[in-house]
Amino acid sequence: MYPRPLRPCRSRTAPQEQERLMTPRLRFCLTLLGTIVFGMTSGLSVHAQNYPSRPITFVVPFAPGGLTDVPARLVAALMQERIGQNIVVENKPGGSGVVGGTYAVRATPDGYTLLANSLADTQNLYYIPVPYSAVDDFAMIGLIVEGPPLVLIIDAKLPYKSLAELIFDAKVNPKKISFGTSGPATSPAISLTQLNSLAKTEIVGVPYRGSGEAARNVAGGAIQGTFAFYSQAKPLADDGKVRALAVASAERIAAWPSVPTMEELGYKNFDHRGFVGLAAPAKTPKPVIAFLNKHLNEVLQTEVFRQRMAALGMTAPTENTPEKFADFMRRRTARQAEFAKLSGYAPMSAPR
């Protein structure tokens, strides 16, 4: 037998020898890298401990006085008293909320720029281009309010005393009845599409610049009906100008208990309540998110907040964590996909 060939020896340099052979430049680079990494992690910790050290901005992606602005502005006023730092509300309307959302998502994730998000964030990707994910590109802080629900109202001069009577006439006379909407990617339009699909009717949608304008045109007799928000519908009904036939929510409105829900009338899953929440850019430090959630929940439990919101048909949550709100956003986004299919829309942005 031939002797087995010897394996080449592998030189093992002792740790002391490796240290000696390391060039000064390499040693400097490794030291610098370690310092940077330590500085980044410790900097986040120090930042979270000192937060907030300057004013915070709430970005509201709609005009002042709207259904997103009012709850967010009240939260800002009550929260700043608790945290000892000013909170500035900055309205950035446009693009059904996309202008303000884009501004907020691009902000530094340090807790000083927050977004008042809403139902539009769960709807937009199915109708218009959106350069971000309303769920994955934000760190959820908490839900502020749910509501107000949409109310199906008609001109009080019309003979219909119930939704069944309205639907009967709409079936007998296709396209005779017209409902105002706020455009294709809005809750009134989506509600009308669902009603037409479930009832097998052809009620015609007439676009207006907003749901308030549509409601006023119902009261004036220009159109037969619309899905209006509670705060828009109730005053007109109290004045005898419109008649409320149903509410598009899971439960009756506490301040308007005589109006039945769409589900009670046989229209399943007909829930078109709005909501307002609070979110920060993704990668905002978790201690900052926890701090904001804690003080947000304190505000939501105050009597002044609950009374002001009840007058608008809105309710504050009782169990409100960042995780629950993130799950809420995912479920609402998935639900909007079902409504979009009824209208023949597919996502224009990839849902993530």
Side-chain angles (χ1 to χ4, degrees):
M1 295 180 64
Y2 293 100
R4 295 176 64 183
L6 296 175
R7 294 180 180 177
C9 293
R10 293 183 179 177
S11 173
R12 295 188 178 182
T13 308
Q16 295 84 354
E17 184 67 10
Q18 291 178 345
E19 176 69 19
R20 187 183 68 79
L21 294 175
M22 187 182 295
T23 65
R25 176 176 292 181
L26 178 59
R27 187 181 296 111
F28 171 77
C29 290
L30 291 175
T31 302
L32 180 61
L33 178 61
T35 302
I36 292 173
V37 171
F38 175 78
M40 290 174 64
T41 55
S42 62
L44 288 175
S45 176
V46 171
H47 165 76
Q49 291 173 6
N50 295 334
Y51 179 85
S53 59
R54 54 187 171 87
I56 298 169
T57 297
F58 279 12
V59 177
V60 175
F62 296 98
L67 295 173
T68 302
D69 179 80
V70 172
R73 197 171 289 275
L74 183 55
V75 165
L78 296 174
M79 187 185 286
Q80 68 182 7
E81 297 173 359
R82 286 164 168 74
I83 66 175
Q85 191 59 258
N86 289 336
I87 299 179
V88 180
V89 176
E90 187 172 347
N91 296 90
K92 288 188 173 294
S96 191
V98 174
V99 171
T102 302
Y103 176 85
V105 80
R106 291 175 178 172
T108 303
D110 55 10
Y112 289 99
T113 302
L114 310 177
L115 175 69
N117 56 4
S118 67
L119 179 63
D121 290 287
T122 67
Q123 296 172 331
N124 284 338
L125 78 160
Y126 300 106
Y127 304 94
I128 57 178
V130 182
Y132 55 84
S133 166
V135 177
D136 297 327
D137 291 334
F138 286 93
M140 300 303 153
I141 295 167
L143 183 64
I144 294 177
V145 287
E146 272 198 273
L150 287 170
V151 182
L152 193 163
I153 59 172
I154 60 170
D155 182 356
K157 297 184 292 294
L158 294 175
Y160 317 121
K161 304 300 181 185
S162 67
L163 180 59
E165 292 180 9
L166 171 70
I167 295 302
F168 179 82
D169 193 22
K171 286 183 175 181
V172 173
N173 300 288
K175 299 184 179 180
K176 167 190 172 183
I177 298 172
S178 59
F179 267 40
T181 73
S182 309
T186 60
S187 294
I190 295 168
S191 299
L192 177 58
T193 298
Q194 187 182 12
L195 177 62
N196 276 331
S197 175
L198 295 174
K200 310 301 181 188
T201 52
E202 294 183 66
I203 298 173
V204 179
V206 179
Y208 286 90
R209 287 176 295 182
S211 55
E213 183 181 3
R216 290 190 294 273
N217 274 270
V218 173
I223 50 177
Q224 284 73 53
T226 190
F227 283 92
F229 288 105
Y230 165 80
S231 56
Q232 300 159 343
K234 188 66 163 63
L236 293 173
D238 289 343
D239 289 342
K241 296 179 180 179
V242 303
R243 182 179 302 121
L245 299 184
V247 57
S249 66
E251 300 173 351
R252 294 195 182 200
I253 303 172
W256 210 356
S258 61
V259 183
T261 67
M262 293 290 291
E263 183 137 352
E264 289 176 58
L265 300 176
Y267 297 88
K268 301 298 181 183
N269 299 317
F270 209 106
D271 188 353
H272 291 275
R273 284 172 294 174
F275 71 87
V276 180
L278 195 61
K283 299 183 181 179
T284 298
K286 289 185 178 180
V288 171
I289 297 296
F291 174 89
L292 291 166
N293 175 265
K294 173 181 179 294
H295 290 286
L296 170 63
N297 285 331
E298 289 176 357
V299 167
L300 301 187
Q301 300 310 313
T302 61
E303 193 63 25
V304 61
F305 182 83
R306 288 183 171 273
Q307 287 184 357
R308 290 275 296 276
M309 293 302 101
L312 298 174
M314 297 177 171
T315 56
T318 52
E319 296 183 14
N320 194 31
T321 66
E323 295 76 19
K324 284 183 180 293
F325 185 40
D327 182 62
F328 175 93
M329 287 289 291
R330 282 189 288 269
R331 287 186 284 107
R332 282 298 188 97
T333 301
R335 182 171 174 76
Q336 290 301 320
E338 300 172 12
F339 297 145
K341 288 178 183 177
L342 293 177
S343 306
Y345 286 89
M348 296 189 70
S349 308
R352 290 184 269 159

